[in-house]
Amino acid sequence: MDKQNSRFRWVVFASVLVTYLLMASQRTAPGLITDQVMREFHVTASTIGLLTSIQFFVYTGLQIPMGILADRYGPNFFLIVGAILTGLGTIIYSLGTHEFVLFFSRILTGIGDATIWVNMVLILGQWFKVKEFVRLIGFAGMAGSLGFLLATVPFTAWIGLLGWRAAFFSTGLLLCLSGILLYFVLIKKPKQLNEPAAVKNEIRREKTLPLLRRIFSNRQAWALFFCHFGIVGAYVGFIGSWAVPYAMDVYGMTRSDASQLIMIGMIGALMSAPLTSWLSSRLGTIKRPYVVVHIGILLCWATFLLFNGRPPFFMLIILFFIIGFGYGASALTFAVVRQSFPIIDSGVISGFANTGGFLSAVLLPSIFGIVLDHFQLGRGTIGDGYYHGFITPVIFSMIGLVGVIFIKEKSQGTEKSR
């Protein structure tokens, strides 16, 4: 069986993307019940910020090791195990009776979640031709945005119907079943078709320390790291922890209305992933549209400061949409990786770039929670807390803009396939 010409590759594509959709939903779904967890477990905003951050901390810390392992041993096994671990972590979260159980569950979920993106990128590289990659990476990004979208109004309704514990338990069970499905799609079926699940790489393996030294001394790798730092973390970190409380505290919205507001950002991300991939392919450049996206995100976060943390409601809708649209374009980071580095390094470079994105997702919820606690302890109003909290995504976005400016790219029209 020729993988890149087989119709079965679309079964692989669909299975992997559905799993990514479900796993992505569990990055932000806990943000829907922030106030309930605070009341039920009697914890502070700082603790909630740490609870949100710890999953991203684990995810971030494992990106480079996961890239090395996936490059050396193949992506299939790690993705299957990751889906099951994410499911188990979500189930344990639903059964938690103490805050330490919640922390353990989010650590387990973070370990599982750390497997998805790097391995998915490599799997797409195995099953699809180079010319299809930029377009498909956009659809992969769209699947992640659909996952975030699922964790808004639909998951809010699911929580309202079953209660938060049953809603998370059922989602965890579905993730475990997805891991089992991936085993049949990625390993068992290819073997039946006389195609090994992972092609043994005969290229001489570079030792880990020299490989890391080479990556850490590469200017392009650092540009991608900081580019992804600015575009991912501010959005994911805020949506996953403080967006719902912000809408409820500052605008007096209900939980359902707040989740609808967030859904607007998700729709922007959903539209952006395939659109920006198509546009960059059409223009023959990734960098120019990506710079425009970063500038737009920076201006949006700065607008929150301009209006003292409470822009007019109609403007708030526009801001959430544009910020979400910018996040959807983050798949372009990995199009640059594919363009700039040989295929044997794509796993570790993708992991390094992704580390930047989710490092900021680790930092933002905790910083935001500390700022809110400071102003809630009699030193100001809750509105003051959110206003000063928005300084963090502004700074992060500035770092992202610097990163994307320093990216060097080859013309797509003259790029040779690797």
Side-chain angles (χ1 to χ4, degrees), residues 27-28 51-61 106 110 113 236-237 240 358-359 361-362 365:
R27 293 176 183 172
T28 57
L51 182 62
T52 301
S53 295
I54 197 164
Q55 176 181 349
F56 294 127
F57 178 79
V58 173
Y59 180 102
T60 302
R106 299 316 288 175
D113 194 20
V236 173
F358 286 89
L359 175 62
V362 168

mmCIF file of all heavy atoms in Angstrom, residues 27-28 51-61 106 110 113 236-237 240 358-359 361-362 365:
data_model
loop_
_atom_site.group_PDB
_atom_site.id
_atom_site.type_symbol
_atom_site.label_atom_id
_atom_site.label_comp_id
_atom_site.label_asym_id
_atom_site.label_seq_id
_atom_site.Cartn_x
_atom_site.Cartn_y
_atom_site.Cartn_z
ATOM 1 N N ARG A 27 -8.859 21.340 27.122
ATOM 2 C CA ARG A 27 -7.924 22.387 27.536
ATOM 3 C C ARG A 27 -8.667 23.553 28.167
ATOM 4 O O ARG A 27 -8.182 24.181 29.108
ATOM 5 C CB ARG A 27 -7.112 22.896 26.336
ATOM 6 C CG ARG A 27 -6.160 21.874 25.757
ATOM 7 C CD ARG A 27 -5.474 22.418 24.525
ATOM 8 N NE ARG A 27 -4.609 21.415 23.909
ATOM 9 C CZ ARG A 27 -4.017 21.569 22.734
ATOM 10 N NH1 ARG A 27 -4.198 22.691 22.051
ATOM 11 N NH2 ARG A 27 -3.259 20.616 22.242
ATOM 12 N N THR A 28 -9.840 23.867 27.655
ATOM 13 C CA THR A 28 -10.557 25.064 28.103
ATOM 14 C C THR A 28 -11.866 24.770 28.821
ATOM 15 O O THR A 28 -12.413 25.651 29.469
ATOM 16 C CB THR A 28 -10.851 25.983 26.900
ATOM 17 O OG1 THR A 28 -11.603 25.247 25.919
ATOM 18 C CG2 THR A 28 -9.560 26.481 26.273
ATOM 19 N N LEU A 51 -4.207 25.759 38.896
ATOM 20 C CA LEU A 51 -4.835 24.534 38.399
ATOM 21 C C LEU A 51 -4.911 24.536 36.881
ATOM 22 O O LEU A 51 -4.682 23.518 36.229
ATOM 23 C CB LEU A 51 -6.236 24.396 39.007
ATOM 24 C CG LEU A 51 -7.042 23.143 38.636
ATOM 25 C CD1 LEU A 51 -6.319 21.886 39.115
ATOM 26 C CD2 LEU A 51 -8.438 23.217 39.227
ATOM 27 N N THR A 52 -5.244 25.697 36.325
ATOM 28 C CA THR A 52 -5.286 25.825 34.864
ATOM 29 C C THR A 52 -3.884 25.734 34.279
ATOM 30 O O THR A 52 -3.653 25.067 33.265
ATOM 31 C CB THR A 52 -5.925 27.159 34.469
ATOM 32 O OG1 THR A 52 -7.248 27.233 35.009
ATOM 33 C CG2 THR A 52 -5.985 27.307 32.955
ATOM 34 N N SER A 53 -2.945 26.388 34.944
ATOM 35 C CA SER A 53 -1.590 26.460 34.410
ATOM 36 C C SER A 53 -0.875 25.120 34.429
ATOM 37 O O SER A 53 -0.044 24.840 33.567
ATOM 38 C CB SER A 53 -0.765 27.479 35.204
ATOM 39 O OG SER A 53 -1.269 28.781 35.043
ATOM 40 N N ILE A 54 -1.196 24.275 35.410
ATOM 41 C CA ILE A 54 -0.390 23.068 35.589
ATOM 42 C C ILE A 54 -0.523 22.125 34.401
ATOM 43 O O ILE A 54 0.439 21.459 34.003
ATOM 44 C CB ILE A 54 -0.755 22.365 36.919
ATOM 45 C CG1 ILE A 54 0.360 21.374 37.285
ATOM 46 C CG2 ILE A 54 -2.119 21.670 36.841
ATOM 47 C CD1 ILE A 54 0.306 20.920 38.724
ATOM 48 N N GLN A 55 -1.725 22.069 33.800
ATOM 49 C CA GLN A 55 -1.879 21.233 32.606
ATOM 50 C C GLN A 55 -0.993 21.747 31.477
ATOM 51 O O GLN A 55 -0.307 20.979 30.808
ATOM 52 C CB GLN A 55 -3.332 21.196 32.151
ATOM 53 C CG GLN A 55 -3.520 20.402 30.852
ATOM 54 C CD GLN A 55 -4.956 20.375 30.375
ATOM 55 O OE1 GLN A 55 -5.872 20.760 31.089
ATOM 56 N NE2 GLN A 55 -5.162 19.928 29.151
ATOM 57 N N PHE A 56 -1.000 23.073 31.284
ATOM 58 C CA PHE A 56 -0.187 23.659 30.226
ATOM 59 C C PHE A 56 1.298 23.575 30.560
ATOM 60 O O PHE A 56 2.141 23.482 29.673
ATOM 61 C CB PHE A 56 -0.608 25.105 29.978
ATOM 62 C CG PHE A 56 -1.997 25.238 29.426
ATOM 63 C CD1 PHE A 56 -2.933 26.062 30.035
ATOM 64 C CD2 PHE A 56 -2.386 24.527 28.301
ATOM 65 C CE1 PHE A 56 -4.221 26.186 29.529
ATOM 66 C CE2 PHE A 56 -3.666 24.642 27.786
ATOM 67 C CZ PHE A 56 -4.586 25.474 28.403
ATOM 68 N N PHE A 57 1.622 23.605 31.869
ATOM 69 C CA PHE A 57 3.020 23.468 32.282
ATOM 70 C C PHE A 57 3.552 22.091 31.891
ATOM 71 O O PHE A 57 4.643 21.965 31.329
ATOM 72 C CB PHE A 57 3.137 23.676 33.791
ATOM 73 C CG PHE A 57 4.531 23.507 34.321
ATOM 74 C CD1 PHE A 57 5.463 24.526 34.190
ATOM 75 C CD2 PHE A 57 4.923 22.330 34.948
ATOM 76 C CE1 PHE A 57 6.757 24.378 34.670
ATOM 77 C CE2 PHE A 57 6.210 22.164 35.427
ATOM 78 C CZ PHE A 57 7.134 23.195 35.289
ATOM 79 N N VAL A 58 2.772 21.049 32.199
ATOM 80 C CA VAL A 58 3.163 19.688 31.828
ATOM 81 C C VAL A 58 3.241 19.557 30.311
ATOM 82 O O VAL A 58 4.190 18.995 29.758
ATOM 83 C CB VAL A 58 2.170 18.671 32.420
ATOM 84 C CG1 VAL A 58 2.456 17.268 31.901
ATOM 85 C CG2 VAL A 58 2.225 18.694 33.942
ATOM 86 N N TYR A 59 2.219 20.059 29.628
ATOM 87 C CA TYR A 59 2.178 20.034 28.157
ATOM 88 C C TYR A 59 3.429 20.694 27.587
ATOM 89 O O TYR A 59 4.093 20.144 26.697
ATOM 90 C CB TYR A 59 0.913 20.764 27.699
ATOM 91 C CG TYR A 59 0.721 20.839 26.207
ATOM 92 C CD1 TYR A 59 -0.170 19.985 25.552
ATOM 93 C CD2 TYR A 59 1.405 21.774 25.434
ATOM 94 C CE1 TYR A 59 -0.370 20.061 24.182
ATOM 95 C CE2 TYR A 59 1.218 21.855 24.062
ATOM 96 C CZ TYR A 59 0.329 21.004 23.447
ATOM 97 O OH TYR A 59 0.142 21.081 22.090
ATOM 98 N N THR A 60 3.747 21.869 28.123
ATOM 99 C CA THR A 60 4.879 22.627 27.608
ATOM 100 C C THR A 60 6.193 21.899 27.837
ATOM 101 O O THR A 60 7.034 21.788 26.936
ATOM 102 C CB THR A 60 4.933 24.006 28.280
ATOM 103 O OG1 THR A 60 3.701 24.703 28.035
ATOM 104 C CG2 THR A 60 6.087 24.847 27.755
ATOM 105 N N GLY A 61 6.374 21.371 29.059
ATOM 106 C CA GLY A 61 7.620 20.706 29.397
ATOM 107 C C GLY A 61 7.885 19.451 28.585
ATOM 108 O O GLY A 61 9.047 19.050 28.422
ATOM 109 N N ARG A 106 -5.320 17.001 36.262
ATOM 110 C CA ARG A 106 -4.891 17.938 35.211
ATOM 111 C C ARG A 106 -3.458 17.640 34.764
ATOM 112 O O ARG A 106 -3.100 17.868 33.608
ATOM 113 C CB ARG A 106 -5.012 19.388 35.691
ATOM 114 C CG ARG A 106 -6.417 19.828 36.053
ATOM 115 C CD ARG A 106 -7.476 19.384 35.070
ATOM 116 N NE ARG A 106 -7.414 20.113 33.812
ATOM 117 C CZ ARG A 106 -8.178 19.848 32.762
ATOM 118 N NH1 ARG A 106 -9.035 18.840 32.806
ATOM 119 N NH2 ARG A 106 -8.075 20.554 31.664
ATOM 120 N N GLY A 110 -2.545 16.774 31.046
ATOM 121 C CA GLY A 110 -1.472 17.484 30.357
ATOM 122 C C GLY A 110 -0.485 16.547 29.693
ATOM 123 O O GLY A 110 -0.005 16.813 28.588
ATOM 124 N N ASP A 113 -2.268 15.275 26.626
ATOM 125 C CA ASP A 113 -2.434 16.351 25.658
ATOM 126 C C ASP A 113 -1.124 16.678 24.953
ATOM 127 O O ASP A 113 -1.108 17.096 23.791
ATOM 128 C CB ASP A 113 -2.984 17.584 26.380
ATOM 129 C CG ASP A 113 -3.509 18.634 25.423
ATOM 130 O OD1 ASP A 113 -3.810 18.311 24.256
ATOM 131 O OD2 ASP A 113 -3.633 19.808 25.840
ATOM 132 N N VAL A 236 -5.274 31.060 24.620
ATOM 133 C CA VAL A 236 -5.624 29.813 25.301
ATOM 134 C C VAL A 236 -5.650 30.003 26.811
ATOM 135 O O VAL A 236 -6.553 29.523 27.501
ATOM 136 C CB VAL A 236 -4.640 28.696 24.906
ATOM 137 C CG1 VAL A 236 -4.886 27.437 25.733
ATOM 138 C CG2 VAL A 236 -4.752 28.381 23.422
ATOM 139 N N GLY A 237 -4.648 30.700 27.357
ATOM 140 C CA GLY A 237 -4.591 30.919 28.792
ATOM 141 C C GLY A 237 -5.767 31.718 29.313
ATOM 142 O O GLY A 237 -6.322 31.414 30.377
ATOM 143 N N GLY A 240 -9.166 29.665 28.727
ATOM 144 C CA GLY A 240 -9.240 28.484 29.556
ATOM 145 C C GLY A 240 -9.393 28.763 31.035
ATOM 146 O O GLY A 240 -9.589 27.826 31.810
ATOM 147 N N PHE A 358 2.729 27.312 24.491
ATOM 148 C CA PHE A 358 2.057 26.890 25.714
ATOM 149 C C PHE A 358 2.810 27.281 26.976
ATOM 150 O O PHE A 358 2.253 27.194 28.076
ATOM 151 C CB PHE A 358 1.747 25.396 25.643
ATOM 152 C CG PHE A 358 0.603 25.126 24.719
ATOM 153 C CD1 PHE A 358 0.807 24.911 23.364
ATOM 154 C CD2 PHE A 358 -0.699 25.162 25.188
ATOM 155 C CE1 PHE A 358 -0.257 24.701 22.500
ATOM 156 C CE2 PHE A 358 -1.766 24.959 24.336
ATOM 157 C CZ PHE A 358 -1.558 24.729 22.990
ATOM 158 N N LEU A 359 4.050 27.756 26.835
ATOM 159 C CA LEU A 359 4.696 28.394 27.981
ATOM 160 C C LEU A 359 3.910 29.638 28.390
ATOM 161 O O LEU A 359 3.676 29.892 29.578
ATOM 162 C CB LEU A 359 6.142 28.764 27.642
ATOM 163 C CG LEU A 359 6.896 29.542 28.726
ATOM 164 C CD1 LEU A 359 7.006 28.712 30.002
ATOM 165 C CD2 LEU A 359 8.287 29.947 28.221
ATOM 166 N N ALA A 361 0.778 30.056 27.821
ATOM 167 C CA ALA A 361 -0.498 29.580 28.370
ATOM 168 C C ALA A 361 -0.342 29.131 29.817
ATOM 169 O O ALA A 361 -1.299 29.159 30.591
ATOM 170 C CB ALA A 361 -1.036 28.436 27.521
ATOM 171 N N VAL A 362 0.869 28.702 30.197
ATOM 172 C CA VAL A 362 1.156 28.372 31.591
ATOM 173 C C VAL A 362 1.216 29.635 32.444
ATOM 174 O O VAL A 362 0.657 29.700 33.542
ATOM 175 C CB VAL A 362 2.502 27.619 31.690
ATOM 176 C CG1 VAL A 362 2.968 27.521 33.128
ATOM 177 C CG2 VAL A 362 2.382 26.236 31.085
ATOM 178 N N PRO A 365 -2.567 32.393 33.063
ATOM 179 C CA PRO A 365 -3.605 32.201 34.088
ATOM 180 C C PRO A 365 -3.120 32.487 35.507
ATOM 181 O O PRO A 365 -3.847 33.094 36.306
ATOM 182 C CB PRO A 365 -3.994 30.728 33.924
ATOM 183 C CG PRO A 365 -3.617 30.385 32.528
ATOM 184 C CD PRO A 365 -2.378 31.169 32.258
#
